[in-house]
Amino acid sequence: MGKLNSTHPGLSESEKKLNLNPSKAQATFVGNLSNAYKPGISIGLLGGGQLGMMLCQAAIDLGIALHVLDPDQDCSCHHLAHGHTIGSFKDYQTVLNFGRRFSHITVEIEAVNTDALKQLVSEGVQVYPKPDHLDLIKDKSQQKQFYKQAGIPTSDFVLTQTGAEVLAYPDFFPAVHKSATDGYDGRGVVLLADPSKVNQAFDCPAVLEKKVDIQTEFSIIISRNEYGQIAHFEAVEQVFHPTKHILQYLVAPASLPPGVSDEAIKIAHQIVDELDYVGLLAVEFFLTKAGEVLVNEIAPRPHNSGHHTIRACRSSQFEQHLRAVLGLPSADTSTHSHAAMLNILGAEGSEGKAQYTGLTDALSLPGVYPFLYGKSLTRPFRKMGHVTVVGTTREEVLKKAEMVMVEAR
Ligand code: ADP
């Protein structure tokens, strides 16, 4: 570390030149923190995918033993977790039996059996995020109603029960129709350019939204523990695949017009406070072409848009999640490097045993870090890993990211 900066201790001269703004990422402290942290503590984790895998890596540093419940014998966590119980996190009895073994339960996926989690809470298990919040978030219609009730800016919407119902809202077109449950990574989202596309609408409970004229999509990852201590990372810009609606790469910190980031941070704080939320929350935003900041959706766990925090911030989203779940003090969330994050996706047309192309070339570039999720089978657009690119300027990072071409075939 070089000479210290009086307004932000810990920021070196060279880091100041990065033009990073530490005030955009910070923790606020309210109340007394728990003294109960005992290294060696076990946490039960529902889901054993890549987010769980990176939670396991962070848990090791803190002396936390993560035990995973996942039906897949070959899941990303299998070789890393302290224990792996093979079973469905959607099944009431399986979740109940698993959860009774731990003082704390958390999730890396929201599609879990929340009835079992509610029973565990009644038996004294600390379940974070809270089961009610998982219920709210896994249903997009409930999420949208929450934003409306809490005065949180979001796109105009109505709730529909059948596909044909969209015809009752001609002034919503062009519209985006989203199935209320079970959608992720763009599955469960369809653009309806005009009412003639009614046959593509979802014939199940869904949300019909006016199509937003998006300037930029960005997200903020925020954490809150049971004592009300909040910390957030700087905003991250997301770039999506034009047809599959899947995140293609992200750039951090986001380059946003003045005031936008502060407004979004305020909204993210408002959401976690309003909900009395505990855990890590990813808040996805649209900046509209007219300059409005709207919440698109929230996710109650570490998020694809926070993977760069492992290499570009002073703590990672995974560590923050664990700290929040255990009621521990927040870590330093400030940024030390510019970063880009590229998903390694299964190539279109490839299915079967995964073979990677471009990895050695990527490894030969300075500041380029592949993360592989240990999935043996690939399929088109499956998230197989990611590459984080770090550097001292946004331009440098974007230039290097253009040179990274890793695919799973
Ligand atoms: P998922 O939960 O599958 O990620 P989202 O609700 O985030 O689904 O939608 C996926 C993508 O679809 C968004 O990132 C955005 O690009 C686009 N999208 C969603 N809602 C709207 C909207 N109201 N207007 C314009 N584009 C939208």
Side-chain angles (χ1 to χ4, degrees), residues 140 155 176 178 183-187 189 209-214 217 240 245 284 286 296-297:
K140 285 184 174 167
S155 62
V176 176
K178 302 181 178 179
Y184 64 98
D185 286 348
R187 279 164 267 197
V189 176
E209 296 180 18
K210 283 190 181 164
K211 180 175 180 288
V212 173
D213 231 352
I214 299 172
E217 293 193 40
F240 285 84
H245 297 302
E284 294 186 48
F286 296 145
N296 175 34
E297 62 172 352

Side-chain angles (χ1 to χ4, degrees), residues 367-388:
V368 173
Y369 303 101
F371 292 76
L372 300 180
Y373 301 156
K375 298 177 182 175
S376 53
L377 299 178
T378 184
R379 57 174 183 269
F381 295 100
R382 187 175 193 203
K383 285 178 186 162
M384 301 298 289
H386 71 268
V387 178
T388 299

